[in-house]
C-alpha cells in the first residue's frame, strides 16, 4: 500500500485548527457541566473531538488518536443518554483535553508523543460503554428502544398487524422456482450486511403498514408517497449491494407508491395483493441475506405488472391471469372489503418522521417524491467566509495606514493654506478643500477598516476563564459561578495579547481572596456559591471590563494598616486618603494581603504588575469594594493603541499631543481660581480642587516673549470643540497667551476618579496621531509616551497622561516636585 | 475529474486533497458543510463528491438527502469512521454510492473511487 506523504503544512494546519477546537472544547465542557442535557452542546463537543481524531488518524498520531477516541466514545455515550455528565465524568473529560493539549505541545516542540495514561483511557472507555461514573443511567433509554424494535418487528415478521388484511400465502410454496447462491461481497460491503438485514426488515414492516392504508381514499396519497420513499431507499440499498432482484422488487413498490394517488379504488384493490407479494418476496430475500445467501425466484411477471399499474382492470380480482397471482388475488377479494375499518393506531405509529413531512407535502396533490425538489435549492448562507492572514501583514498594513494618516494630515494643512490664500484662483481654492475633505473621509474609513481587521472579540480571552474558575474552585474547595457578559466586545489584537495575564490575575484574586469558602458564606447569610461576573462593554473609545465578585470585599482599613506595616505609606498619608485611595494601595509594589501565600494568587507581587501592564495599554484600573458585599475591579482599555485622537497643545513654541480620551474639559482659569497647597499649585474648578501641572515646567519649554511670538505665527486649526474622554463635546475656550500669563489654559485630564489640570500656552486643535515609539534613552526625558508627525510635518511628543497623574500623586504625598 | 470535497475540518480537506492529488485528481472544490456544498454544486458541477458525516450546520446525511432530490446520478462517497459504520445504511438509503472509512490510504480511496465510477458507468 502506498504511504501517505503529506506536506508539512498539513501538520501546521492541523495544529492551528485543532488548537482552536481545543480552546472551544474547554469552554464548552465547562458549560456542559452546568447544562448536561444540552444536546446541541454535546454534539458540538463530540464533533470537535471527532475532527481532531479524524485528522490525527491520517497523520498517524496514534497516541493522540487513542485518547481522543476514548473521550469521543464517552461523549457519544453521553449524547445517547447512556449517562449524564457529572462532575467526576467531567474531570475525566477535562483531563483528556489536557492530555490532548499536552500532546499538541509535544508535536509543536517536535517531540515524540507519549502514551496517554492508560487509567484515564480506561475510565473514559468505561464511560463510553456505560459503566462509568454516571452508569446508574445506563440503559435508561435502551429498553425503550429495543421495545420499539420489537414492536416494529411484530408488525412485520410473521404475524400481521391487527386489522391488516391476511398476507398472501408465504411464497415458499415449495415449487416456485426458488434458487439459492452463496453471497459474494467485498469486505466493505460484507461489513455492512448485518445492518442492512436489520434495516430491510424495518423498512418492510413500514411498507406493509403503508400498503394497508392504500385502500382508504383519504389516506392513499400519503401512504403512496411513503411507500415510494421507503421503496426508493430500499432500491438504493439493494443497488449498493448489487442485489439485482431486490432492486427490481423495490422498484415495483416505488412505482406503486408514485401512482397510488391517481389510481382508482378498484385498481388499488387489484394492486395491493401484488404489493404484498412483493413484500413477502423481499422478506424472503432478506432472510437469505441474513444467512449470507442470495435467494431468488422468477419475478418477471410480477415486476411487469407494476410498470402498467393503470392497466389493472377493476375486475381483475375475479380474473386471475397467472398462477402466481391467483393465490394473491384470492386474498384480495376479501381484503378489498375488510380493509376500510382499519386500526388507525397501527398506521399512526408507523407514519412518522421525515416520511410524515413528505406525506403532508404530497397529500396536497400528487404523485412523486420529486415534488419537493425546490426545497433544498434556494440557500444563501455560505460559511467558509474567512481566511487566515499572517499577523505581520496586518501590522504592515496598519503601519502604512498610519503613514497615510500623517500624510493626509499634511495635505489637509496645505489645503487649508491654499483655501485661505485669497491670492489664488477661487476655483483652485475650492478644489483644494474639496479634495482634502474627501481624502480625509476615505482615509478615516480606511483606517477604521484596517483597525477592524485587527479587532478580535474578547471571547478569545474570556473563553479560557470558565475552565480557570472551575479548576480554581475545585482546588480551593469553593463554589464559584462565573458569569460572562459582552464577550463579543472587540478590541485590537495587541490589546488582547497584553490583557490576558492581567485579567487572569484579577480573576484569580477574586476567586482566591474575594469569594469566601461555602461555610463562611452560609454563616453570613449568602448563598454557598459565590459569583464572579466578567462584564465587557464599549464605552466611547474605550472598552470597559468589570470583574465583579460577591465575596468578602476589601477592607480599606486593613489595607492601609498592611501598607503601613510594609512601609509603603505613612500614617500621615493614610489620614489624608479616601477609602478608594486606600484600596488603591493594593497596587503598590510589594504589597500582599493574603495571610497565607497560596499557589493560586501567588505572593501578591501581581497587583502592581497588573496595574503596570494595564497602564502600558494606556488603560486604567480602579477598585470599588464594600466590605462583606463584594468587589468590583474596573479596567478601561483604549480600543487600539496604535492610532489615537489627540488635542495638540502649544507649550512655549513647542507643540505636544494630549490624548483626547483623557481630556474631560479645557478651561481658562481666572486668577481667583488659582492657589497653592504645600507649595504646589492647584486650581479650583467648580466644587473641587485639582492639582495643576505646568507643561512648560514638565517639558522644560521656554516661555519667554520671543517664544510666544514665534508660536503665535503658526496658525491653529479652526476646531472649536471636540469629543473628550466620555465622548461628550467639549468647547475650546478662546484666549491668547501673554508674557505675564504664558500658560493661560488648563487642560483637565482624568484618570479613574482623579483629575489634574495641565497648564499650556495655546490650543491648536484636534488631530489623529500615529504613535511612534521612542527609543529607550529618549523615553527617560519626561512624561511622554511616544512621538508623532504633525500635519505641518513637524514632530510632536505625546504626553503620557498616566505619568502626569503619578507626578501629581507624588506631590500630594508630600514628595519633592518631580523633575 | 471535478471532485467536490465536503468536510468541516480544513485539515481533513487538505489531507484528502493531498491523497487525491497523489491519485492525479487536482480539480477539487471544497465545501465546509452540507449547506456550503449545496450552494456550490450548481456552479461546480462535480463528477464525484466525497462527503463527511459529522458537520455543523448541515451534516453529510442531510446534504445527501437534499442533493439527491435534484441529482440522482453524481456519485457520492461517504467518508466516515469506524464508529459510524452502523449508520452507513442510512446514508446508502439516502443515496450514497460508496463509503470509505477514515483513515484511508491512497490505495483504498483510489479503489473506492474506481469501484464507484465503474458502477456508474455500467
Amino acid at each position: 500500500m502506498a504511504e501517505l506523504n503529506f506536506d508539512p503544512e498539513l501538520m501546521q494546519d492541523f495544529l492551528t485548527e485543532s488548537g482552536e477546537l481545543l480552546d472551544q472544547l474547554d469552554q464548552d465542557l465547562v458549560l456542559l457541566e452546568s447544562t448536561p442535557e444540552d444536546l446541541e452542546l454535546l454534539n458540538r463537543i463530540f464533533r470537535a473531538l471527532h475532527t481532531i481524531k479524524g485528522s490525527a488518524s491520517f497523520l498517524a498520531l496514534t497516541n493522540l488518536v487513542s485518547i481522543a477516541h476514548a473521550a469521543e466514545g464517552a461523549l457519544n455515550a453521553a449524547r445517547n443518554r447512556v449517562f449524564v455528565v457529572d462532575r467526576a465524568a467531567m474531570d475525566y473529560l477535562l483531563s483528556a483535553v489536557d492530555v490532548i493539549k499536552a500532546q499538541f505541545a509535544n508535536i509543536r516542540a517536535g517531540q515524540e508523543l507519549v502514551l496517554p495514561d492508560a487509567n484515564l483511557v480506561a475510565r473514559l472507555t468505561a464511560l463510553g460503554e456505560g459503566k462509568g461514573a454516571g452508569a446508574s443511567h445506563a440503559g435508561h433509554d435502551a429498553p425503550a428502544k429495543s421495545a420499539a424494535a420489537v414492536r416494529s418487528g411484530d408488525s412485520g415478521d410473521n404475524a400481521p398487524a391487527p386489522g391488516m388484511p391476511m398476507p398472501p400465502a408465504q411464497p415458499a410454496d415449495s415449487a416456485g422456482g426458488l434458487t439459492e447462491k452463496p453471497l459474494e461481497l467485498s469486505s466493505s460491503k460484507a461489513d455492512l450486511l448485518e445492518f442492512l438485514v436489520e434495516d430491510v426488515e424495518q423498512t418492510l414492516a413500514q411498507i406493509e403498514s403503508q400498503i394497508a392504508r392504500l385502500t382508504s381514499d383519504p389516506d392513499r396519497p400519503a401512504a403512496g408517497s411513503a411507500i415510494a420513499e421507503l421503496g426508493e431507499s430500499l432500491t438504493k440499498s439493494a443497488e449498493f449491494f448489487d442485489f439485482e432482484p431486490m432492486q427490481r422488487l423495490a422498484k415495483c413498490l416505488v412505482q406503486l407508491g408514485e401512482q397510488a394517488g391517481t389510481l382508482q379504488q378498484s385498481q388499488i384493490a387489484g394492486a395491493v395483493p401484488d404489493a404484498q407479494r412483493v413484500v413477502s418476496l423481499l422478506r424472503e430475500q432478506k432472510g437469505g441475506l441474513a444467512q449470507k445467501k442470495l435467494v431468488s425466484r422468477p419475478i418477471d411477471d410480477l415486476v411487469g405488472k407494476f410498470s402498467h399499474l393503470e392497466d389493472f382492470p377493476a375486475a381483475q380480482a375475479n380474473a386471475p391471469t397467472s398462477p402466481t397471482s391467483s393465490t394473491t388475488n384470492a386474498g384480495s377479494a376479501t381484503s378489498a372489503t375488510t380493509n376500510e375499518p382499519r386500526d388507525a393506531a397501527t398506521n399512526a405509529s408507523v407514519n412518522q418522521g421525515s416520511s410524515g413531512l413528505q406525506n403532508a407535502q404530497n397529500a396536497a396533490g400528487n404523485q412523486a417524491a420529486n415534488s419537493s425538489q425546490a426545497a433544498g435549492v434556494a440557500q444563501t448562507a455560505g460559511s467558509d467566509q474567512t481566511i487566515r492572514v499572517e499577523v505581520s501583514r496586518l501590522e504592515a498594513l496598519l503601519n502604512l495606514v498610519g503613514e497615510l494618516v500623517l500624510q493626509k494630515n499634511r495635505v489637509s494643512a496645505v489645503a487649508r493654506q491654499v483655501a485661505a490664500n485669497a491670492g489664488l484662483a477661487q476655483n483652485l481654492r475650492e478644489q483644494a478643500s474639496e479634495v482634502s475633505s474627501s481624502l480625509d473621509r476615505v482615509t478615516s474609513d480606511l483606517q477604521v477598516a484596517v483597525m477592524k481587521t485587527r479587532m478580535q472579540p474578547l471571547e478569545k480571552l474570556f473563553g479560557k476563564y470558565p475552565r480557570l474558575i472551575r479548576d480554581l474552585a475545585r482546588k480551593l474547595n469553593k463554589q464559584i459561578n462565573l458569569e460572562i457578559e459582552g464577550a463579543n466586545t472587540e478590541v485590537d489584537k495587541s490589546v488582547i495579547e497584553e490583557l490576558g495575564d492581567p485579567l487572569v490575575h484579577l480573576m484569580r484574586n477574586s476567586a482566591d481572596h474575594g469569594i469566601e469558602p461555602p461555610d463562611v458564606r452560609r454563616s453570613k447569610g449568602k448563598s454557598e456559591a459565590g459569583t464572579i461576573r466578567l462584564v465587557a462593554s464599549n464605552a466611547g473609545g474605550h472598552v470597559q471590563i468589570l470583574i465583579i465578585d460577591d465575596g468578602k470585599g476589601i477592607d480599606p482599613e486593613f489595607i492601609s494598616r498592611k501598607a503601613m506595616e510594609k512601609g509603603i505609606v505613612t500614617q500621615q498619608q493614610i489620614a489624608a486618603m479616601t477609602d478608594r485611595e486606600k484600596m488603591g494601595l493594593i497596587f503598590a509594589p510589594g504589597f500582599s494581603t493574603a495571610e497565607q501565600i497560596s499557589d493560586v494568587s501567588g505572593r501578591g507581587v501581581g497587583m502592581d504588575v497588573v496595574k503596570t501592564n494595564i497602564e502600558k495599554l494606556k488603560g486604567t484600573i480602579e477598585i470599588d469594594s464594600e466590605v462583606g458585599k463584594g468587589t468590583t475591579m474596573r479596567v478601561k482599555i483604549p480600543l487600539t493603541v496604535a492610532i489615537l485622537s489627540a488635542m495638540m497643545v502649544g507649550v512655549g513654541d513647542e507643540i505636544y499631543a494630549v490624548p483626547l480620551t483623557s481630556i474631560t474639559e479645557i478651561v481658562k482659569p481666572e486668577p481667583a481660581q488659582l492657589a497653592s497647597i504645600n507649595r504646589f499649585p492647584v486650581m479650583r474648578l467648580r466644587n473641587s480642587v485639582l492639582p495643576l501641572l505646568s507643561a512648560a515646567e514638565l517639558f522644560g519649554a521656554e516661555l519667554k516673549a520671543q517664544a510666544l511670538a514665534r508660536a503665535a505665527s503658526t496658525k491653529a486649526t479652526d476646531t472649536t470643540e471636540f469629543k473628550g474622554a466620555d465622548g461628550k463635546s467639549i468647547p475650546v475656550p478662546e484666549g491668547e497667551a501673554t508674557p505675564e500669563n504664558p500658560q493661560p489654559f488648563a487642560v483637565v485630564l482624568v484618570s479613574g476618579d482623579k483629575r489634574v489640570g495641565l497648564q499650556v500656552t495655546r490650543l491648536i486643535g484636534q488631530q489623529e496621531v500615529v504613535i511612534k515609539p521612542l527609543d529607550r534613552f529618549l523615553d527617560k526625558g519626561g512624561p511622554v509616551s511616544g512621538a508623532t508627525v504633525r500635519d505641518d510635518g513637524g514632530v510632536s511628543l505625546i504626553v503620557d497622561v498616566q505619568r502626569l497623574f503619578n507626578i501629581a500623586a507624588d506631590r500630594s504625598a508630600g514628595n519633592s516636585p518631580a523633575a | 475529474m471535478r471532485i467536490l470535497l465536503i468536510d468541516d475540518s480544513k485539515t481533513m480537506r487538505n489531507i484528502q486533497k493531498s491523497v487525491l492529488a497523489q491519485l492525479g485528481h487536482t480539480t477539487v472544490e471544497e465545501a465546509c458543510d452540507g449547506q456550503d456544498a449545496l450552494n456550490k454544486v450548481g456552479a461546480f458541477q462535480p463528477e464525484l463528491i466525497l462527503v463527511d458525516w459529522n458537520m455543523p450546520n448541515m451534516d453529510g446525511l442531510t446534504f445527501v438527502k437534499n442533493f439527491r432530490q435534484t441529482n440522482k446520478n453524481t456519485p457520492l462517497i461517504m467518508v466516515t469512521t469506524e464508529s459510524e459504520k452502523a449508520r452507513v445504511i442510512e446514508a446508502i438509503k439516502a443515496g450514497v454510492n460508496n463509503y470509505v472509512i477514515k483513515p484511508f490510504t491512497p490505495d483504498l480511496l483510489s479503489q473506492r473511487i474506481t469501484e464507484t465510477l465503474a458502477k456508474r458507468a455500467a
Side-chain angles (χ1 to χ4, degrees), chain A residues 577-593:
Chain A
M577 283 181 164
T578 62
D579 278 358
R580 194 183 268 209
E581 282 166 339
K582 288 176 189 168
M583 286 189 276
L585 288 170
I586 65 168
F587 294 116
F591 186 92
S592 169
T593 59

Side-chain angles (χ1 to χ4, degrees), chain A residues 636-656:
Chain A
K636 272 177 111 180
I637 302 286
L639 280 177
T640 176
V641 291
I643 299 179
L644 57 83
S645 295
M647 184 72 190
M648 308 305 286
V649 297
V651 181
D653 60 351
E654 289 163 25
I655 297 175
Y656 287 82

Side-chain angles (χ1 to χ4, degrees), chain A residues 13 17 188 199 239 379, chain B residues 9-11 14 35 99 119:
Chain A
D13 280 354
E17 183 175 74
S188 63
D199 187 78
E239 188 186 353
Q379 276 97 10
Chain B
S9 156
K10 190 184 168 206
T11 315
N14 284 343
Q35 190 59 65
Y99 76 104
K119 215 168 138 184

Side-chain angles (χ1 to χ4, degrees), chain A residues 200-214:
Chain A
V200 169
E201 180 45 52
Q202 282 175 18
T203 310
L204 288 178
Q206 290 178 28
I207 292 176
E208 246 170 359
S209 21
Q210 294 296 343
I211 290 176
R213 292 176 70 204
L214 280 181

Side-chain angles (χ1 to χ4, degrees), chain A residues 149-363:
Chain A
V150 169
R151 217 182 303 121
S152 67
D154 274 353
S155 67
D157 246 336
N158 295 315
M164 286 263 301
M166 279 295 292
Q170 285 292 308
D173 40 303
S174 58
L178 187 70
T179 54
E180 280 189 13
K181 277 196 299 192
L183 194 58
E184 281 170 23
L185 281 180
S186 67
S187 67
S188 63
K189 290 179 182 171
D191 268 2
L192 299 177
L193 192 61
E194 138 196 24
F195 304 120
L196 174 78
V197 170
E198 194 180 314
D199 187 78
V200 169
E201 180 45 52
Q202 282 175 18
T203 310
L204 288 178
Q206 290 178 28
I207 292 176
E208 246 170 359
S209 21
Q210 294 296 343
I211 290 176
R213 292 176 70 204
L214 280 181
T215 44
S216 145
D217 275 335
D219 285 354
R220 194 176 308 135
S225 59
I227 292 171
E229 195 181 307
L230 290 161
E232 189 65 49
S233 68
L234 203 52
T235 314
K236 284 173 180 152
S237 303
E239 188 186 353
F240 178 81
F241 285 92
D242 287 320
F243 299 153
E244 204 227 331
M246 184 179 264
Q247 199 181 332
R248 289 178 65 200
L249 287 169
K251 263 271 186 284
C252 294
L253 295 172
V254 177
Q255 287 165 338
L256 171 68
E258 285 177 351
Q259 295 181 47
T262 55
L263 291 177
Q264 288 169 15
Q265 170 73 38
S266 53
Q267 289 170 317
I268 287 290
V272 163
D274 283 335
Q276 286 165 340
R277 166 116 181 113
V278 166
V279 170
S280 68
L281 284 169
L282 282 167
R283 188 165 281 134
E284 185 181 64
Q285 290 178 346
K286 175 218 78 182
L289 291 179
Q291 295 160 25
K292 303 218 168 15
K293 283 185 285 196
L294 214 49
V295 292
S296 59
R297 289 170 186 277
I299 50 172
D300 292 353
D301 285 353
L302 186 60
V303 171
K305 284 191 187 175
F306 281 89
S307 27
H308 307 287
L309 279 176
E310 65 285 0
D311 296 344
F312 264 57
Q316 210 212 346
N318 301 325
T321 52
S322 75
T324 345
S325 57
S326 69
T327 47
T328 54
N329 284 345
S332 81
T334 47
S335 67
T337 47
T338 53
N339 268 348
E340 314 292 334
R342 253 168 312 96
D343 183 349
T346 330
N347 300 323
S349 69
V350 180
N351 180 18
Q352 42 166 259
S354 65
S355 61
L357 182 69
Q358 276 278 339
N359 291 347
Q361 287 176 351
N362 290 349

Side-chain angles (χ1 to χ4, degrees), chain B residues 15-34:
Chain B
I15 288 171
Q16 296 180 47
K17 237 178 15 187
S18 114
V19 171
L20 288 170
Q22 288 178 47
L23 298 174
H25 301 294
T26 50
T27 321
V28 177
E29 174 70 270
E30 301 174 41
C32 64
D33 60 35

Side-chain angles (χ1 to χ4, degrees), chain A residues 54-88:
Chain A
S55 305
S57 69
F58 272 101
L59 298 166
L61 304 166
T62 21
N63 288 335
L64 185 54
V65 174
S66 66
I67 183 78
H69 178 71
E72 182 199 289
L75 277 161
N76 198 29
R79 219 162 55 137
N80 296 329
R81 297 282 178 260
V82 173
F83 71 95
V84 172
V85 178
D86 56 10
R87 268 192 173 207

